[in-house]
Amino acid sequence: MVEAPGLVVAPTVSLSARGVIKRYTTRSGTVSALDGVSIDVASGECVALVGESGSGKTTLLRCFNRLITPDAGSVRVDDVDVSTTDAVALRRRVGYVMQEGGLMPHWTVRRNVELVPWLRASPNAESAATDAMALVGFGDGTFDARYPVQLSGGQRQRVAMARALAAHPNVLLLDEPFGALDAITRADLQEMFASIRRRRPVTCVLVTHDLF
């Protein structure tokens, strides 16, 4: 809450979920992944979803970019109900980083990072990719022509982060982006992420098992 003499201004809510329910049918019966979950994430805020495997963290995260459709409840991004928004257009304006990176294996690093600005027909896709690569520590062009198979796990996650940031999204969703890495690499990328947020205070939801 921002306060001034005689004035109280509430922070803008970028992400909101109200009474979200999601159930899955398995061989052993119905499993409730989300049971009436509600959450607000203010603009520029970073919220971590922490919990054991199977507790519904990733399910909630993917409701925000319509990779998962809840059975009940409402989900809003920038005060727009995502159920009324074209799913493809929504995903192109919301950054998303998954645990294994999800890079196109047959594309170079540079082309991977340029993907979303190119899909959005951005006139400055190349410069946007250059800026994003610099944010993750790959600004000298050394990795541009490499392919994902030629990168370490930590390097692939840096590229995945750059790809998510290249289109300057207002919202960034991260699903265990550091979970499959060794402790030293994980700490290095966590520091990189903190540095990025200082330079670009994008609204974030982070699924993690680590408290850092």
Side-chain angles (χ1 to χ4, degrees):
M1 187 77 71
V2 179
E3 298 187 18
L7 177 68
V8 177
V9 180
T12 303
V13 174
S14 285
L15 299 173
S16 177
R18 285 287 175 272
V20 175
I21 295 172
K22 182 62 182 179
R23 298 186 176 94
Y24 297 102
T25 301
T26 68
R27 291 181 178 179
S28 57
T30 300
V31 175
S32 181
L34 301 173
D35 189 9
V37 173
S38 296
I39 186 173
D40 286 332
V41 182
S43 179
E45 186 178 19
C46 185
V47 171
L49 304 179
V50 183
E52 62 186 14
S53 296
S55 60
K57 305 183 301 298
T58 293
T59 297
L60 178 60
L61 186 81
R62 292 181 177 177
C63 286
F64 286 114
N65 62 359
R66 289 192 62 185
L67 286 175
I68 289 176
T69 300
D71 299 320
S74 65
V75 178
R76 304 180 75 85
V77 174
D78 292 332
D79 206 30
V80 176
D81 191 326
V82 299
S83 67
T84 67
T85 303
D86 178 76
V88 173
L90 174 68
R91 291 167 196 154
R92 289 179 183 176
R93 65 183 178 87
V94 173
Y96 180 51
V97 182
M98 61 188 74
Q99 185 170 7
E100 300 298 334
L103 301 177
M104 299 290 191
H106 55 293
W107 283 10
T108 64
V109 163
R110 180 77 186 194
R111 191 177 180 193
N112 266 285
V113 177
E114 290 178 353
L115 174 61
V116 179
W118 174 75
L119 288 172
R120 297 183 66 178
S122 172
N124 61 341
E126 292 186 5
S127 61
T130 297
D131 291 345
M133 292 286 283
L135 279 174
V136 302
F138 288 168
D140 63 0
T142 300
F143 294 89
D144 284 14
R146 297 188 188 182
Y147 289 86
V149 71
Q150 297 172 305
L151 306 178
S152 68
Q155 290 168 344
R156 285 193 294 273
Q157 288 305 92
R158 284 178 183 268
V159 175
M161 185 74 73
R163 182 180 62 181
L165 293 168
H168 289 261
N170 293 325
V171 173
L172 185 61
L173 307 177
L174 304 106
D175 189 6
E176 288 283 0
F178 318 125
L181 305 172
D182 63 82
I184 294 175
T185 302
R186 184 163 60 247
D188 186 36
L189 292 190
Q190 287 169 348
E191 176 55 37
M192 176 203 73
F193 177 60
S195 175
I196 288 171
R197 291 210 69 252
R198 287 191 292 268
R199 298 169 67 180
R200 284 195 194 178
V202 61
T203 305
C204 298
V205 177
L206 169 67
V207 170
T208 183
H209 290 103
D210 297 315
L211 296 176
F212 64 92

